[in-house]
Amino acid sequence: MIPASFEYRRASDLDDATRLLRELGPEAKVLAGGHSLIPLMRLRLAQPTALVDLGRVPGLDGVRVDGDRLRVGALTRHAQLAASPVVRGALPLLAAMAAEVGDLQVRARGTIGGVIAHADPAGDYPTLALMLDAEIVTTRTTHAAADFFQHIFTTPLEADEVIREIAFPVAPGPHRYVKFRRRRCDWAIVGVAAQRLDGGWRLGLTNCGPTPLRARAAEAALAQGESAAGAGARAADGLTPPSDLRASADYRCHLARVLTQRALEEATA
Amino acid sequence: MGERVTMTINGMSHEDEVEPRTLLVHHLRETVGLTGTHVGCDTSQCGACTVLLDGDAVKSCTVLAVQADGAAITTIEGMARGDELHPLQQAFWDEHGLQCGYCTPGFIMTAAKLLSDNPNPTDDEIKIGLEGNLCRCTGYVNILKAVRTASRRMLSGSTAASASARSSE
């Protein structure tokens, strides 16, 4: 399967990328690692008229701690995140998530900015960004994660807007991401992330709705002194997950409850 | 329409004109003529098309040739030194790590990356390292054995011994 024809332009920097996107119009797409976009183009589910390749834009990858923030360049690849001593020290949950994205070959190419921009509800980093109130810094503005994941594959990014970096809070405390899937390299059927932050727990749910979600009832239960089991019992409150080939809505709710308890127990073990 | 791309493929420089939509795997097979890299699933699942791109194992069905402009590529054809098979190739032979062989080039290229990062992996590390490659014949047991054998031989530098063992079979 071969993608439909498109015009290819390589951006030299982000200003150039913005200029090219304006010139090429709203059907142009940004190419980073290509590991969501190219498969869609091969199946012709996406047929952009042009691609603006960010692959050679200098300074768009890499991570740094800036006060109480971990700033992650949009072009940073999964394998870099998983191996980075900076990430492992400042936000080990991000390194752990990155180590379990796809397989070895996918981790060599896919980027965090690509995953965030793609906004697949089965993506792992959107869950982390949402639950930790991360900021998505773009060429136009800074978006709060809570406003960014609007619906399945839907974000407020304008046609000429490019993600520069994602700013997470530094959070080296107890954490765990439990990703339930049939094979290790699959997407999560349901994923639950737990992170201790500012004296409380943040709980995020992957693939339980059209966007990543927070298990707020379970977070509140923990704040009132509930156990992991007690919090787990509340993890599916208000949840209306999709049914698909892999899991029914009821089963997803069950998984959200069980995996929340498990994530909390393993985070504090 | 066409884009000029230059790649160093198995140590040789190749300059060609490609359509932007040309996938790296098709460039390697159809333009450069290196058909050892296979197209399996065409959906980024099976890993049969794995090559090394600047040292990283990548699925060449999910990389545009234009993205690889300026890169160094190694394919299965670049693994042997003359008549001497790469230790991974030799170990797949010795341990019967293949039946139909369709997935084998991809497995060998992924395993090459795995062993370059981690020369002495545990069985679990090999299984996790190879999770992006599918084999429909072998049940994976002999593939695991082959990578373990290659690892051992590469660490002890004993590929010459294995080559002479083969010639006596």
Side-chain angles (χ1 to χ4, degrees):
Chain A
M1 293 170 286
I2 295 168
S5 290
F6 57 86
E7 188 174 345
Y8 174 82
R9 305 289 280 278
R10 191 176 288 159
S12 57
D13 57 33
L14 285 178
D15 287 343
D16 188 36
T18 304
R19 190 182 55 74
L20 288 168
L21 287 165
R22 284 182 189 154
E23 175 194 324
L24 295 163
E27 294 303 313
K29 292 283 281 180
V30 172
L31 176 66
H35 272 50
S36 296
L37 183 56
I38 294 172
L40 289 174
M41 289 173 63
R42 253 183 345 220
L43 294 169
R44 307 219 177 176
L45 295 171
Q47 296 196 26
T49 53
L51 291 186
V52 175
D53 186 357
L54 302 181
R56 313 293 165 105
V57 172
L60 204 51
D61 68 340
V63 296
R64 66 195 162 91
V65 173
D66 170 20
D68 61 356
R69 292 272 157 191
L70 173 70
R71 296 189 176 275
V72 181
L75 211 61
T76 313
R77 300 185 193 275
H78 308 302
Q80 285 174 276
L81 290 171
S84 161
V86 174
V87 178
R88 287 180 175 194
L91 187 56
L93 181 53
L94 175 58
M97 273 186 176
E100 295 199 14
V101 171
D103 52 51
L104 181 135
Q105 294 97 311
V106 169
R107 290 192 293 274
R109 295 292 296 171
T111 68
I112 187 170
V115 172
I116 296 285
H118 190 51
D120 188 328
D124 305 304
Y125 305 136
T127 301
L128 186 66
L130 177 80
M131 67 189 257
L132 297 184
D133 291 316
E135 287 148 356
I136 292 117
V137 182
T138 74
T139 47
R140 278 173 171 255
T141 186
T142 296
H143 301 273
D147 302 325
F148 189 79
F149 301 104
Q150 297 176 331
H151 208 273
I152 181 166
F153 304 132
T154 307
T155 71
L157 287 173
E158 300 284 349
D160 65 351
E161 188 175 4
V162 180
I163 299 176
R164 286 177 190 275
E165 64 181 19
I166 298 96
F168 294 96
V170 168
H175 62 274
R176 179 74 175 136
Y177 187 45
V178 184
K179 193 172 171 182
F180 191 85
R181 69 275 207 212
R182 293 170 61 199
R183 299 179 307 160
R184 199 178 177 281
C185 53
D186 284 340
W187 299 93
I189 295 170
V190 169
V192 176
Q195 174 73 57
R196 186 90 181 150
L197 181 68
D198 300 335
W201 283 98
R202 303 289 182 94
L203 296 169
L205 305 175
T206 300
N207 215 8
C208 286
T211 65
L213 296 165
R214 277 174 74 170
R216 289 193 182 269
E219 289 177 359
L222 288 165
Q224 287 156 17
E226 271 288 357
S227 64
R234 307 292 308 277
D237 287 11
L239 212 58
T240 53
S243 291
D244 58 27
L245 283 174
R246 294 187 174 183
S248 66
D250 283 351
Y251 184 48
R252 280 203 163 85
C253 287
H254 170 74
L255 285 174
R257 288 189 285 263
V258 171
L259 301 182
T260 296
Q261 178 180 348
R262 201 176 290 171
L264 287 164
E265 286 171 352
E266 291 177 6
T268 50
Chain B
M1 193 65 204
E3 300 278 330
R4 306 268 341 147
V5 295
T6 306
M7 293 174 217
T8 303
I9 302 170
N10 300 331
M12 301 250 298
S13 181
H14 291 262
E15 188 179 347
D16 295 285
E17 191 164 308
V18 299
E19 259 194 277
R21 62 177 175 161
T22 306
L23 301 168
L24 178 59
V25 66
H26 293 130
H27 179 63
L28 293 170
R29 289 176 57 83
E30 290 160 25
T31 311
V32 184
L34 294 171
T35 55
T37 303
H38 294 162
V39 179
C41 67
D42 232 353
T43 56
S44 318
Q45 307 270 329
C46 79
C49 64
T50 302
V51 301
L52 301 183
L53 187 157
D54 290 335
D56 283 326
V58 305
K59 293 180 173 176
S60 62
C61 75
T62 315
V63 177
L64 301 170
V66 284
Q67 288 179 288
D69 184 25
I73 308 287
T74 306
T75 70
I76 190 69
E77 290 92 341
M79 295 299 278
R81 286 199 196 135
D83 290 338
E84 189 189 338
L85 294 180
H86 185 279
L88 273 162
Q89 294 172 303
Q90 187 64 52
F92 269 70
W93 181 319
D94 295 340
E95 302 288 5
H96 310 287
L98 61 139
Q99 287 180 35
C100 83
Y102 199 86
C103 68
T104 312
F107 267 98
I108 287 178
M109 301 318 291
T110 307
K113 167 63 177 170
L114 173 68
L115 294 183
S116 81
D117 287 351
N118 181 2
N120 191 19
T122 64
D123 283 359
D124 277 348
E125 286 168 342
I126 297 172
K127 288 178 192 172
I128 290 170
L130 296 178
E131 67 193 338
N133 291 77
L134 298 179
C135 170
R136 303 284 75 170
C137 304
T138 66
Y140 300 99
V141 173
N142 287 354
I143 291 175
L144 187 64
K145 264 196 221 167
V147 177
R148 214 186 290 132
T149 296
S151 156
R152 199 176 57 241
R153 288 177 183 166
M154 287 163 79
L155 283 171
S156 65
S158 67
T159 54
S162 76
S164 67
R166 188 179 108 223
S167 63
S168 67
E169 276 171 7

